[in-house]
Amino acid sequence: KQEVTQIPAALSVPEGENLVLNCSFTDSAIYNLQWFRQDPGKGLTSLLLIQSSQREQTSGRLNASLDKSSGRSTLYIAASQPGDSATYLCAVRPVSGTYKYIFGTGTRLKVLA
Amino acid sequence: DGGITQSPKYLFRKEGQNVTLSCEQNLNHDAMYWYRQDPGQGLRLIYYSQIVNDFQKGDIAEGYSVSREKKESFPLTVTSAQKNPTAFYLCATLGTVNYGYTFGSGTRLTVV
């Protein structure tokens, strides 16, 4: 059964710092992996989607990498800003004949001004 | 512009009452999903539908019901059989190009 883990559960960093959020999954048979951002009381906003054949995706200050063989993905945030404060979730879509994503429990990020 | 609309934003339910949460999309996506989110827990799948007039139970379907009569709409009913319905409910669709999720803005349900 696919399980997705995100460590740490919470992280505080000073403004301007580069940071890495981690996501690990137990079964490498995935179609893709998606990173989301969630602000308090809001829905999830998609940040980056990496297909299984890709190694990384970039959008602005965000870069996500995928290493299927080791079951890991990282989300790199460059030059963090207070506006980056949110919960970041990763989700994988298994190659299991269904259309369901499996979510991690998220990393709550606080960027201090 | 295209997106997912969930309504209402806040909903209050009395004990023993059924309530229905609305999810409407204009993205022309076939697959739609309902998730429940509780503090400190990940998203848990309630029901999903891959096509009109068809839906499947997720991991925590007990006490919930859905219908999928139109491609655009996937309403969720929280019945009185759901003993702990207070939570944040999220609706999502699955894209048909890159197969990524798109989420609505959520409905917060509280039992009073």
Side-chain angles (χ1 to χ4, degrees):
Chain A
K1 179 184 174 184
Q2 177 75 268
E3 292 183 0
V4 180
T5 304
Q6 292 184 251
I7 295 174
L11 181 64
S12 287
V13 299
E15 182 178 8
E17 190 163 301
N18 301 327
L19 58 98
V20 173
L21 306 181
N22 296 297
C23 173
S24 61
F25 47 96
T26 55
D27 187 343
S28 62
I30 63 170
Y31 273 125
N32 56 39
L33 182 146
Q34 198 166 0
W35 281 95
F36 297 89
R37 168 187 173 135
Q38 186 177 29
D39 293 288
K42 306 291 185 184
L44 277 65
T45 299
S46 180
L47 298 173
L48 290 165
L49 173 68
I50 309 176
Q51 303 296 342
S52 61
S53 58
Q54 298 174 320
R55 295 301 298 265
E56 64 179 308
Q57 282 283 340
T58 298
S59 176
R61 294 183 294 109
L62 306 179
N63 175 277
S65 68
L66 175 64
D67 184 344
K68 272 201 322 178
S69 61
S70 67
R72 294 183 61 186
S73 176
T74 61
L75 179 66
Y76 175 84
I77 303 177
S80 59
Q81 304 169 358
D84 294 329
S85 299
T87 297
Y88 291 82
L89 297 100
C90 70
V92 300
R93 184 183 162 200
V95 179
S96 59
T98 67
Y99 294 81
K100 299 184 292 183
Y101 274 78
I102 310 297
F103 284 83
T105 52
T107 294
R108 191 169 63 254
L109 173 66
K110 187 169 185 177
V111 181
L112 306 170
Chain B
D1 51 327
I4 302 171
T5 301
Q6 288 190 243
S7 62
K9 188 175 176 67
Y10 299 96
L11 186 57
F12 298 91
R13 191 194 93 166
K14 295 181 180 179
E15 295 284 349
Q17 190 178 46
N18 291 354
V19 292
T20 298
L21 285 60
S22 172
C23 178
E24 301 280 333
Q25 57 111 348
N26 60 4
L27 299 168
N28 199 34
H29 291 169
D30 287 313
M32 298 186 72
Y33 304 78
W34 275 105
Y35 283 90
R36 169 179 172 144
Q37 187 177 38
D38 295 280
Q41 298 193 37
L43 275 72
R44 292 184 289 169
L45 182 64
I46 305 172
Y47 267 98
Y48 66 103
S49 168
Q50 295 176 224
I51 198 168
V52 174
N53 293 322
D54 186 52
F55 49 82
Q56 287 79 41
K57 293 181 179 180
D59 301 317
I60 56 164
E62 185 175 351
Y64 300 96
S65 66
V66 293
S67 63
R68 188 80 187 279
E69 298 176 1
K70 300 186 302 182
K71 186 176 185 178
E72 301 79 17
S73 179
F74 191 39
L76 173 73
T77 297
V78 184
T79 74
S80 57
Q82 171 51 239
K83 298 308 178 189
N84 184 24
T86 294
F88 190 51
Y89 291 85
L90 289 159
C91 177
T93 67
L94 184 67
T96 52
V97 175
N98 61 12
Y99 294 100
Y101 265 176
T102 300
F103 277 87
S105 57
T107 293
R108 183 163 300 280
L109 174 62
T110 303
V111 174
V112 296

